[in-house]
Amino acid sequence: MLRRLSTISAGLVWAVALAGILLCSGLVVGSGPASAEAGRPSVQTDPGVSRNLTLTGALTGADHQTYVEVPFDVPAGMERLTLSFEYDRADRTVIDLGLRDPNGLRGWSGGNKSTITVATSDATPSYVPGPVIAGRWNLILGVPNIRQGVTANWTARITMISAEAPPPESAFMDGAVRPGPGWYRGDFHTHTGQSDGSCDSRTGRRIPCPAFRTLERASAAGLDFVAVTEHNTPSAFAELRSLQAYYDTLLILPGREITTFFGHMNAIGPTGPLPFELGSPRLPDFSDLLGAVEAQGGIVSINHPGMPSGEACMGCGWVVPMPDCTRITAVEVANGGTMRLTGSAEGQFSHLPFWEALLDRGCRTTAIAGSDSHDPDAPLERQLPVGTPTTVVYARDLSQIAILDGVRSGRVFIDLVGRPGTSVDLSATAGESSAVMGGRLQVAEDQEVHLTIAVSGVAGGRVELVSGTAGSSGLTDLSITTNEEKIELSFRKSELKKWLRVNIRNLDGDIVLISNPIFFH
């Protein structure tokens, strides 16, 4: 420290001393003269859905140790505001950031962040979530250091998104956690203390469980992504956005379990407002909810539809009519709570028949799974752990948009025991036509279909072929002899129904892997 001080010029020492005298004497070094070039708003675009605004300016030595406020206007109806800031850092120039909305200070991040998001449901740490109020806002530029004779140009790019159409980019992480295509393992259904999740505190008291405990368990289970799906409320999003920066090898997906009296469904991706009061004036029809999720780039999954519904579990079973099942992206065919209750994904309360009935109707609805964890620390006799069962998605990278697109594509399988290293994949050809799991194969009635089944990690088990709700009747069960098995079969189209998928069973005959189907067109 002494060596560092000895290099400070005499002029700088006197400047520091003078600043101290002014502060100690009660004199305030105020928000000095703003540079005449502090901000120049550019033309706004796309007024119906988003508004893009660019502010530019320049600071000089005259702005040293002052605060410059740059006004800009936010129109009515905006739900999300994102600001990115860059500036010339030559000669040790430092510019700090803050935001003021019409009601007062919205946040201050100093020099800690160059991208800021504020929204109704969540915000970048250092900023307060809440309504994006219409009116005059101010970008606050604090200038702790800029030398005499220096000019620092800066640019602030602001994107404002309307409440009607928040984009799927409302993810908690910009870009991908991991680049490149591959199979990514995750859990689409968890709860924390922001709804009804609970766990023991360090002294053994039962408390609403903080979200980081679920994320810790997801990381320990080797998951690549996890969706936190509180019942109806968006209150977790601000906490999750803050945690995503720390858990930068785990993709956190925003979600909500829309809990109605007639069924539960997960909405994955949206962070904007979603109605949940089905049957009320707020949500008279189920299709209105689907529209709200679709407008925000999200997907919907019907949860645990095979459960009974009544006093024991209000609304747990699915009784909502679905005239247009093409808008249902996924069905939770394996639920950790049901599996703990019954010991299996089959038998009583199985969700497989509900899903397969949709497939028989011609719906290309993807099977997924979720632990439905409400206590990340619970023993096995009380609850299955986070990541059991696991949904494994083939995606172009590990990002929110890519994972949701992977679910839409149907190239997804379910690992019921949550064991990395186990996998199943399907591909098929018929003449010049080909398809992978989740895809559609063009095939004539008398044409031969060549099917390839790739299985890993289930040596000694068997492959069960399922085509239509008649189950595996009439189709061959195939033994798995090695840890990496590739089985090739041929069928006539007349032997198959509208779709074909497989279950992989272990030595004890229990299902451990569930594939999605290939559809025949």
Side-chain angles (χ1 to χ4, degrees):
M1 179 64 73
L2 289 176
R3 188 179 301 113
R4 171 78 179 273
L5 286 174
S6 68
T7 65
I8 301 176
S9 69
L12 184 55
V13 169
W14 276 108
V16 172
L18 178 60
I21 291 170
L22 290 171
L23 289 172
C24 291
S25 64
L27 299 174
V28 178
V29 184
S31 55
S35 167
E37 296 295 310
R40 298 193 303 269
S42 71
V43 178
Q44 298 181 4
T45 60
D46 302 328
V49 176
S50 65
R51 298 208 177 186
N52 301 313
L53 184 66
T54 300
L55 307 174
T56 61
L59 300 173
T60 70
D63 299 303
H64 178 65
Q65 293 187 349
T66 66
Y67 295 94
V68 176
E69 298 208 11
V70 185
F72 62 95
D73 291 323
V74 173
M78 296 295 114
E79 191 273 337
R80 179 171 296 270
L81 182 153
T82 297
L83 180 148
S84 61
F85 187 78
E86 56 188 36
Y87 66 95
D88 298 335
R89 299 172 183 265
D91 296 310
R92 298 191 178 183
T93 297
V94 177
I95 303 177
D96 293 341
L97 291 182
L99 271 180
R100 198 184 307 278
D101 71 16
N103 289 340
L105 185 68
R106 193 62 180 258
W108 176 259
S109 53
N112 182 255
K113 299 172 180 71
S114 60
T115 301
I116 297 161
T117 291
V118 291
T120 304
S121 59
D122 61 287
T124 300
S126 306
Y127 295 83
V128 179
V132 179
I133 305 165
R136 177 61 54 89
W137 287 53
N138 281 274
L139 171 63
I140 309 171
L141 304 179
V143 192
N145 191 59
I146 185 169
R147 294 177 175 181
Q148 291 300 317
V150 171
T151 297
N153 294 300
W154 58 265
T155 301
R157 293 181 175 85
I158 300 170
T159 299
M160 293 171 276
I161 306 298
S162 76
E164 286 74 25
E169 290 86 326
S170 57
F172 300 136
M173 176 176 283
D174 295 330
V177 174
R178 195 179 313 152
W183 291 101
Y184 293 107
R185 303 176 60 85
D187 189 336
F188 277 113
H189 193 166
T190 66
H191 298 275
T192 78
Q194 292 285 352
S195 57
D196 57 347
S198 60
C199 61
D200 290 342
S201 71
R202 298 185 70 177
T203 60
R205 291 186 303 112
R206 202 70 181 158
I207 61 165
C209 202
F212 83 89
R213 294 300 304 147
T214 293
L215 304 183
E216 283 288 295
R217 294 299 185 189
S219 295
L223 299 186
D224 300 303
F225 66 87
V226 63
V228 178
T229 53
E230 310 296 7
H231 296 282
N232 300 328
T233 179
S235 63
F237 296 154
E239 181 182 11
L240 295 174
R241 181 176 288 278
S242 177
L243 288 167
Q244 178 69 93
Y246 178 79
Y247 291 95
D248 54 359
T249 60
L250 176 71
L251 177 66
I252 305 171
L253 298 174
R256 264 164 287 181
E257 184 171 17
I258 305 301
T259 308
T260 80
F261 302 134
F262 315 104
H264 298 184
M265 59 167 273
N266 275 348
I268 310 294
T271 57
L274 290 178
F276 63 88
E277 306 94 331
L278 186 59
S280 75
R282 285 186 180 273
L283 185 60
D285 188 77
F286 177 56
S287 63
D288 297 325
L289 175 57
L290 295 179
V293 175
E294 292 162 355
Q296 298 183 49
I299 64 172
V300 297
S301 170
I302 295 175
N303 289 347
H304 42 67
M307 287 290 289
S309 188
E311 291 183 352
C313 190
M314 290 298 297
C316 287
W318 189 264
V319 296
V320 181
M322 288 189 302
D324 183 9
C325 60
T326 61
R327 300 176 71 185
I328 306 297
T329 309
V331 171
E332 185 184 71
V333 304
N335 172 278
T338 309
M339 289 174 62
R340 186 206 61 79
L341 184 67
T342 65
S344 172
E346 300 180 279
Q348 188 181 27
F349 308 144
S350 174
H351 315 305
L352 287 165
F354 179 92
W355 171 54
E356 291 179 337
L358 290 181
L359 299 180
D360 283 348
R361 285 175 55 183
C363 303
R364 292 176 61 182
T365 309
T366 302
I368 65 172
S371 67
D372 204 355
S373 169
H374 284 68
D375 180 353
D377 303 323
L380 286 175
E381 60 268 20
R382 187 151 54 87
Q383 183 183 286
L384 296 184
V386 174
T388 304
T390 303
T391 306
V392 190
V393 180
Y394 190 86
R396 61 183 176 270
D397 58 44
L398 184 55
S399 66
Q400 176 172 312
I401 295 176
I403 291 296
L404 298 189
D405 282 347
V407 175
R408 292 183 183 103
S409 79
R411 197 170 181 194
V412 175
F413 69 86
I414 296 168
D415 173 6
L416 291 177
V417 295
R419 190 173 73 239
T422 59
S423 67
V424 61
D425 196 11
L426 306 180
S427 61
T429 60
E432 298 299 315
S433 178
S434 64
V436 295
M437 182 166 59
R440 192 162 56 173
L441 187 70
Q442 185 79 27
V443 56
E445 188 64 29
D446 60 347
Q447 200 168 18
E448 192 169 58
V449 176
H450 301 280
L451 177 70
T452 300
I453 307 164
V455 186
S456 299
V458 198
R462 74 177 196 273
V463 177
E464 176 184 62
L465 286 84
V466 184
S467 181
T469 51
S472 58
S473 175
L475 298 177
T476 307
D477 285 0
L478 307 161
S479 297
I480 304 169
T481 57
T482 64
N483 217 36
E484 297 287 337
E485 192 95 0
K486 186 169 285 188
I487 300 169
E488 296 187 351
L489 301 170
S490 294
F491 300 95
R492 289 286 175 186
K493 171 60 177 69
S494 56
E495 299 178 69
L496 304 170
K497 295 190 177 180
K498 294 179 179 179
W499 52 270
L500 174 69
R501 67 171 191 85
V502 301
N503 295 324
I504 306 299
R505 296 184 180 271
N506 62 15
L507 278 167
D508 297 325
D510 301 322
I511 297 179
V512 291
L513 298 173
I514 297 172
S515 87
N516 270 279
I518 290 176
F519 300 88
F520 304 113
H521 176 61

